[in-house]
Amino acid sequence: NELIEAEADKERNKVFEANNPEFCGQFLEDMEVRNKATAKKKEDAEKARTKGNKRFQRKEWDLALSDYMESLKHSPYEHKTLTNIAQVYIKQNNYDDALEFLSRTLYLDYAHAKALSRRAFIEAAKGDVATAVVTAQEALSYVKKETPPSKEYVDMAAQLRDLEVLAKEE
């Protein structure tokens, strides 16, 4: 039944395209223009983010932040950029703004391990070690377990161990 319906749709589309060549041609041209614009935005976003990464490595926090914000203008839902902005704010001890960008990342992907790990760091820095332990456990649960373990897994496991030690000391 579905196969028959699909064939009928295909036939209706052929008839429509034959009867409306100008419309269909314009549609395809518009689609090509949109695809090129989307690719350009992605390219511009990546360039700005890469520039920000270089400045971050040189500890030029304000310049890196400016580049990351420029990247967001082109690609506002890019996880890497959102977490990079949060990391700049963490380096500047601006935890409230960092949490805002981590929240944006987690809204888009609730299982984003790096965003959760950074949130755990902020929770601990603000003195809420018990919550930080839970957040770090959650972050670690989303990292793929490989043999040998990835650097991300090793780093998050170490963060969790450190937080657990802090929690026991409290």
Side-chain angles (χ1 to χ4, degrees):
N1 196 16
E2 288 179 30
L3 190 58
I4 294 170
E5 186 62 35
E7 285 299 318
D9 273 348
K10 195 182 269 187
E11 192 57 40
R12 284 190 294 268
N13 287 340
K14 281 183 185 177
V15 170
F16 179 84
E17 289 170 14
N19 291 332
N20 300 285
E22 188 175 312
F23 173 82
C24 293
Q26 185 62 49
F27 177 81
L28 291 173
E29 286 175 28
D30 290 347
M31 189 169 72
E32 187 176 328
V33 168
R34 282 193 304 276
N35 287 342
K36 285 180 181 178
T38 299
K40 175 81 169 110
K41 282 183 178 183
K42 187 174 183 178
E43 180 184 325
D44 290 347
E46 186 62 23
K47 282 181 184 177
R49 191 177 65 77
T50 300
K51 188 176 177 183
N53 289 348
K54 289 176 183 172
R55 289 180 165 169
F56 183 90
Q57 290 170 351
R58 292 191 304 260
K59 300 180 181 180
E60 298 170 344
W61 311 132
D62 291 335
L63 294 172
L65 185 59
S66 177
D67 291 333
Y68 293 146
M69 292 298 191
E70 179 64 27
S71 179
L72 275 190
K73 288 178 186 175
H74 302 289
S75 187
Y77 306 108
E78 175 57 50
H79 300 124
K80 291 177 187 176
T81 306
L82 293 167
T83 55
N84 287 358
I85 291 169
Q87 188 63 26
V88 170
Y89 283 133
I90 288 169
K91 292 292 186 182
Q92 295 175 328
N93 295 319
N94 184 344
Y95 297 143
D96 292 337
D97 285 343
L99 285 171
E100 169 63 29
F101 282 90
L102 294 173
S103 294
R104 291 179 190 191
T105 305
L106 293 167
Y107 179 80
L108 296 169
D109 178 6
Y110 69 91
H112 196 283
K114 187 180 280 190
L116 287 165
S117 174
R118 289 179 179 170
R119 188 172 80 186
F121 173 85
I122 293 169
E123 290 164 347
K126 287 184 156 194
D128 191 356
V129 178
T131 302
V133 168
V134 172
T135 303
Q137 288 170 336
E138 186 179 1
L140 190 59
S141 76
Y142 292 124
V143 178
K144 189 175 181 181
K145 293 179 183 173
E146 302 170 339
T147 305
S150 67
K151 180 178 178 351
E152 181 180 36
Y153 187 87
V154 170
D155 291 347
M156 287 187 191
Q159 178 190 31
L160 178 58
R161 281 191 305 277
D162 292 346
L163 288 170
E164 288 171 339
V165 168
L166 271 177
K168 286 179 184 176
E169 290 173 357
E170 287 187 345

